[in-house]
């Protein structure tokens, strides 16, 4: 696949269709909002505010949450998580993954982790699977392959992953057997292997592509 990047026709109305191409920087207002939120997460983590400063910051954040709540939409209409052109897809749960190269069976990218995702002096072990799941899932579901969900990730931690430095992330589509898609990946700091992973994705049956959270909610209402 070439390095041509597809920019959504309307960045304010993205879809779930992931072209899985190299990411761009993004200089629009929503990209700026996502980056500002990451800055807040990092600043809160790194700070030791006094009670007054903490209280004032909390009020500011609650006011901001209330303002954004006026624009709440359903998951199929939201922007966060569906800006495929941006590192991190416009969401802030995981560190923003910059995708550099993509083929039908391989992908590689880079990520830098700050103290918000720290496990004391190094990246928190729970963050590593999030990063692997991000790149492996996108590769597993690329090139017109039907939607599949993660069945398992087996992560081996080989060395501590340092903070505030660039880590290289690699993914490989290892093979397919029926509805099963086998994936592999690795993470490096320079030449040092910090983690590797084996994963399984299962292609969904038609009835499994529905909103399971909505179905659970309806079931709870009916039983109450």
């Amino acid at each position: 696949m070439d390095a041509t990047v597809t920019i959504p026709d309307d960045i304010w109305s993205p879809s779930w269709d992931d072209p899985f191409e190299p990411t761009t920087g993004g200089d629009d207002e929503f990209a700026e909002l996502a980056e500002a939120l990451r800055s807040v997460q990092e600043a809160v983590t790194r700070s030791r505010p006094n009670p007054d400063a903490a209280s004032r910051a909390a009020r500011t954040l609650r006011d901001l949450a209330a303002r954004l709540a006026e624009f709440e939409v359903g998951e199929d209409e939201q922007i966060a998580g569906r800006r495929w052109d941006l590192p991190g897809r416009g969401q802030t749960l995981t560190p923003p993954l910059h995708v550099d190269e993509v083929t039908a069976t391989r992908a590689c990218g880079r990520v830098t982790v700050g103290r918000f995702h720290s496990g004391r002096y190094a990246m928190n072990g729970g963050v590593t699977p999030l990063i692997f799941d991000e790149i492996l899932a996108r590769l597993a579901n690329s090139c017109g392959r039907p939607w599949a969900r993660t069945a398992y990730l087996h992560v081996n931690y080989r060395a501590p992953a340092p903070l505030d430095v660039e880590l290289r992330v690699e993914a490989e589509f290892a093979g397919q057997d029926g509805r099963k898609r086998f994936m592999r990946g690795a993470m490096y700091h320079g030449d040092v292997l910090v983690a590797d992973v084996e994963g399984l994705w299962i292609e969904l049956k038609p009835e499994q592509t529905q909103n399971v959270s909505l179905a659970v909610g309806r079931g709870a209402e009916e039983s109450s």
Side-chain angles (χ1 to χ4, degrees):
M1 185 179 298
D2 61 35
T4 301
V5 179
T6 302
I7 304 299
D9 292 334
D10 184 358
I11 61 175
W12 298 96
S13 298
S15 75
W16 287 118
D17 296 326
D18 179 7
F20 198 32
E21 299 171 342
T23 51
T24 62
D27 59 359
D28 58 272
E29 294 84 353
F30 193 85
E32 184 180 1
L33 174 60
E35 186 57 36
L37 178 53
R38 293 191 189 102
S39 297
V40 171
Q41 292 173 329
E42 190 71 11
V44 170
T45 302
R46 290 175 176 270
S47 70
R48 188 178 177 178
N50 59 40
D52 180 62
S55 178
R56 286 188 285 110
R59 287 196 300 272
T60 298
L61 292 175
R62 280 195 294 267
D63 289 343
L64 176 59
R67 290 172 59 188
L68 289 174
E70 299 175 8
F71 300 92
E72 182 174 343
V73 294
E75 190 171 1
D76 289 333
E77 287 78 46
Q78 71 183 39
I79 301 173
R82 303 196 302 167
R83 280 294 304 275
W84 310 107
D85 56 308
L86 297 178
R89 298 180 291 115
Q91 55 79 42
T92 59
L93 171 65
T94 62
L97 175 69
H98 298 254
V99 179
D100 295 317
E101 298 178 19
V102 178
T103 71
T105 57
R106 292 182 180 273
C108 68
R110 52 199 160 83
V111 64
T112 301
V113 177
R115 271 167 51 188
F116 178 70
H117 292 104
S118 174
R120 191 176 184 186
Y121 310 145
M123 182 166 66
N124 187 292
V127 178
T128 309
L130 289 175
I131 297 171
F132 276 139
D133 190 69
E134 172 76 7
I135 193 168
L136 291 176
R138 293 187 67 181
L139 180 59
N141 286 294
S142 67
C143 295
R145 290 183 276 259
W147 186 10
R149 283 193 184 274
T150 314
Y152 72 72
L153 288 174
H154 183 132
V155 178
N156 299 301
Y157 298 87
R158 306 298 187 180
L163 305 175
D164 301 315
V165 298
E166 195 169 85
L167 305 173
R168 186 173 82 256
V169 187
E170 300 178 353
E172 177 187 0
F173 189 102
Q176 182 156 352
D177 181 9
R179 294 169 54 219
K180 298 179 180 179
R181 299 175 197 165
F182 301 94
M183 311 297 294
R184 287 195 292 258
M187 184 181 297
Y188 297 88
H189 172 220
D191 295 331
V192 177
L193 176 66
V194 298
D196 55 57
V197 62
E198 292 183 352
L200 173 65
W201 268 252
I202 303 294
E203 185 177 318
L204 300 182
K205 298 177 181 179
E207 64 272 17
Q208 295 173 322
T209 63
Q210 307 304 312
N211 187 332
V212 296
S213 300
L214 183 60
V216 170
R218 287 174 177 170
E221 291 178 359
E222 292 173 357
S223 62
S224 61

